[in-house]
């Protein structure tokens, strides 16, 4: 079983609200398991502590982190 939380099916724009870059990737939390890094998408590891208010996205251009539900 995969212990890493990875939300992929939510519609949101992958544009940084701070610098407007399109180089935005998902942040995944929990213990990475088999399949975490499979596929073409780059991900950022967010650590093992999973909290409700953890940011879900990171801009690889400026480093800004935010939650997809914050309007970003």
């Amino acid at each position: 079983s995969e212990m890493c939380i990875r939300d992929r099916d939510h519609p949101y724009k992958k544009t940084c609200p701070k610098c407007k870059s399109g180089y935005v990737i998902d942040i995944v939390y929990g213990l990475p398991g088999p399949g975490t890094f499979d596929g073409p998408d780059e991900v950022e590891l967010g650590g093992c502590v999973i909290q409700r208010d953890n940011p879900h996205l990171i801009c690889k251009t400026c480093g800004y982190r935010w939650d997809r539900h914050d309007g970003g």
Side-chain angles (χ1 to χ4, degrees):
S1 71
E2 188 162 327
M3 298 176 67
C4 192
I5 293 180
R6 191 172 188 173
D7 293 325
R8 290 252 180 232
D9 298 328
H10 295 280
Y12 58 90
K13 294 170 70 174
K14 285 193 172 185
T15 302
C16 178
K18 186 173 181 183
C19 75
K20 307 303 181 203
S21 170
Y23 189 11
V24 173
I25 62 172
D26 292 313
I27 302 172
V28 294
Y29 296 91
L31 180 64
T36 299
F37 302 105
D38 292 348
D41 297 330
E42 180 181 357
V43 296
E44 175 94 2
L45 295 178
C48 292
V49 179
I50 302 169
Q51 297 178 344
R52 186 180 178 110
D53 59 349
N54 283 344
H56 293 99
L57 301 169
I58 182 170
C59 175
K60 294 299 283 184
T61 301
C62 73
Y64 182 68
R65 296 169 182 247
W66 72 100
D67 184 80
R68 66 176 51 91
H69 303 294
D70 290 343

